[in-house]
Amino acid sequence: MRTRKRDRLAAVAAAAVLAGCAVAPPEPADRARLEPTLPAAWSRNAPAATPSDAWWAGFDDPLLLSLVDDALAANLDLASARAAVARAKALRDLADAGRWLQVGSSASGGRVRSGERYSRQLSAGLDASWEPDFFGVNASTTAAAEADLAAAGATLQATRLTVAAETATAYLQWQGTRELLAIARESVDSQAQTLQLVQWRLQAGLANAVDAEQARANLEQTRAQLPALQTTLQQTENALAILLGQPPATLGARLADAPAAAPRVPAVPAGVPAELLRRRPDLRAAEWSVSAELATLDARRAQRLPDFSLSGSVALRAATWSGLGGPGAVAASLLAGVSWPVLDGGATRAQIAAQQATLESAQASYHGAVLNALGDVEDSLVALDRGGERVAALERAAEAAANAAELARARYRSGLIDFGTLLDAERSLLSARSSLASARTDLALAGVRLYKGLGGGWSAEATRP
């Protein structure tokens, strides 16, 4: 009797399996490759070459090299990104675990009451279950988790690039502010000498009180720039310290060893636009995110089809510990199951539609990121081109202003010109020198932005941790 019943159950299970296998596989997800429209070349001259991994070394500043290296080792945003990669790896392993045989153990003991009688019951056994992945639900889920892991790895590299660029930017801004502060202090000293000269001439009857007051006003206006520049310098130093994972106001002694000369701006090879898809980790992260959403869509579609499971158990049951070893204590079971959603009120269809919309959003974000990347590089190339021309012109202007100020001071001493001419010459010199220092800083920052826009020294192999 029991044998025939088991045979009938096995026949039903086999029929269910065969019926499920006869169902057509789910329709494939949209596999259209992401092919953003890219220009054949940049609008500016940009020779092809692969940037160095440590691109910041091209600025030829040992302190900058040291600061960026320390930031990459201690920055807290990078620590958070590394933790995100570890979490993504654990979730990938969790998703993959569902594809394999699951085995567990159990044991119990107690007293059972039946009417007025009590009996002891002891049990120990093993349970096993497995879900054959006929239609790829688990495989697609694992593929989505794998893509999320790769996206997290690419995001880590993007964060590394951002931290390096922000550290270089903060240091270059600190250098530029320090140069502006030095220029302002030199101008204060020079204008103080001019005021003294005017006062001597006033005492000798060769100048009037108006000239002296104008000289004093010019001096105090220049002196008033010092506190603002000192504030900016300290704030930039604080921002740099935070990037290095240190408390503010802790880099004073270290920055005191900074070279006096501003860092040189290296020649940045840009290559061709298509290389951005390989170099820039943020674009790779966006592409992996699309892959993850695509795999999730496959899993949603596969969930419309039958789900099979196999489970079994082997247990020992007896009233005494010694009885567990007897032949009659063994109890075993093997079950095959199938579940197939028939009517769910449209829930599965809604999940597929929602996931399809999520995929389209990820694809749009990817294409938008590519366009923004192209814009970053083009803007930086233009800034380098025009910035170099601006620096060259301001160097000539500063040289001419210095000569004019020196001549005006000598001619004023000789009484050949009035004080207004000398005052204009000194103001022009301060303006030309300050503009030149700012233009040099802007040119160096444009170089940093171009390196960041090109993906720096990132390589494709770095996306998978």
Side-chain angles (χ1 to χ4, degrees), residues 196-207 412-415:
Q196 188 176 33
L197 174 60
V198 173
Q199 289 172 339
W200 286 342
R201 289 177 62 82
L202 178 62
Q203 293 173 0
L206 301 176
Y412 180 74
R413 288 194 188 98
S414 303

Side-chain angles (χ1 to χ4, degrees), residues 75-164:
N75 183 267
L76 298 181
D77 288 339
L78 272 174
S80 177
R82 294 187 188 99
V85 171
R87 178 178 182 275
K89 186 176 185 301
L91 292 177
R92 189 274 314 272
D93 294 341
L94 177 62
D96 187 60
R99 303 170 60 188
W100 308 106
L101 177 67
Q102 308 293 311
V103 179
S105 61
S106 62
S108 64
R111 299 180 67 191
V112 178
R113 179 177 178 178
S114 178
E116 298 296 327
R117 302 179 61 183
Y118 289 88
S119 62
R120 181 182 299 173
Q121 187 175 46
L122 302 175
S123 175
L126 294 176
D127 302 314
S129 63
W130 178 53
E131 295 185 1
D133 195 21
F134 285 117
F135 301 111
V137 175
N138 292 336
S140 296
T141 302
T142 301
E146 185 74 29
D148 285 335
L149 173 59
T155 300
L156 172 61
Q157 297 303 320
T159 305
R160 182 178 186 274
L161 175 61
T162 298
V163 168

Side-chain angles (χ1 to χ4, degrees), residues 128-288:
S129 63
W130 178 53
E131 295 185 1
D133 195 21
F134 285 117
F135 301 111
V137 175
N138 292 336
S140 296
T141 302
T142 301
E146 185 74 29
D148 285 335
L149 173 59
T155 300
L156 172 61
Q157 297 303 320
T159 305
R160 182 178 186 274
L161 175 61
T162 298
V163 168
E166 289 180 351
T167 303
T169 296
Y171 175 73
L172 292 172
Q173 289 174 336
W174 181 88
Q175 279 275 40
T177 304
R178 184 183 66 162
E179 186 176 0
L180 288 173
L181 182 60
I183 291 171
R185 284 171 173 165
E186 291 175 5
S187 297
V188 165
D189 294 340
S190 175
Q191 292 169 8
Q193 295 174 8
T194 299
L195 175 61
Q196 188 176 33
L197 174 60
V198 173
Q199 289 172 339
W200 286 342
R201 289 177 62 82
L202 178 62
Q203 293 173 0
L206 301 176
N208 55 53
V210 175
D211 292 344
E213 291 305 316
Q214 285 182 330
R216 181 176 288 107
N218 189 48
L219 171 61
E220 293 305 327
Q221 286 176 352
T222 304
R223 185 173 285 156
Q225 297 179 16
L226 299 181
L229 290 171
Q230 289 168 336
T231 298
T232 302
L233 189 69
Q234 185 61 54
Q235 290 174 341
T236 308
E237 177 186 326
N238 294 342
L240 188 58
I242 292 173
L243 284 168
L244 269 65
Q246 300 179 15
T250 56
L251 294 179
R254 188 172 180 183
L255 292 176
D257 298 330
R264 72 177 184 88
V265 181
V268 184
V272 296
E275 291 181 358
L276 282 182
L277 304 181
R278 176 180 58 86
R279 288 182 183 175
R280 282 190 56 142
D282 58 333
L283 299 185
R284 295 294 293 167
E287 189 175 0
W288 280 117

Side-chain angles (χ1 to χ4, degrees), residues 307-379:
D307 182 26
F308 303 99
S309 63
L310 295 174
S311 62
S313 64
V314 177
L316 299 176
R317 296 189 179 93
T320 63
W321 291 110
S322 59
L324 291 175
V330 178
S333 66
L334 177 62
L335 299 175
V338 58
S339 62
W340 195 348
V342 179
L343 295 176
D344 60 1
T348 302
R349 185 182 300 108
Q351 288 178 344
I352 293 174
Q355 185 58 36
Q356 181 68 53
T358 302
L359 173 61
E360 292 172 359
S361 175
Q363 289 173 331
S365 297
Y366 172 70
H367 285 278
V370 171
L371 289 178
N372 289 332
L374 294 173
D376 290 344
V377 176
E378 286 287 3
D379 290 346

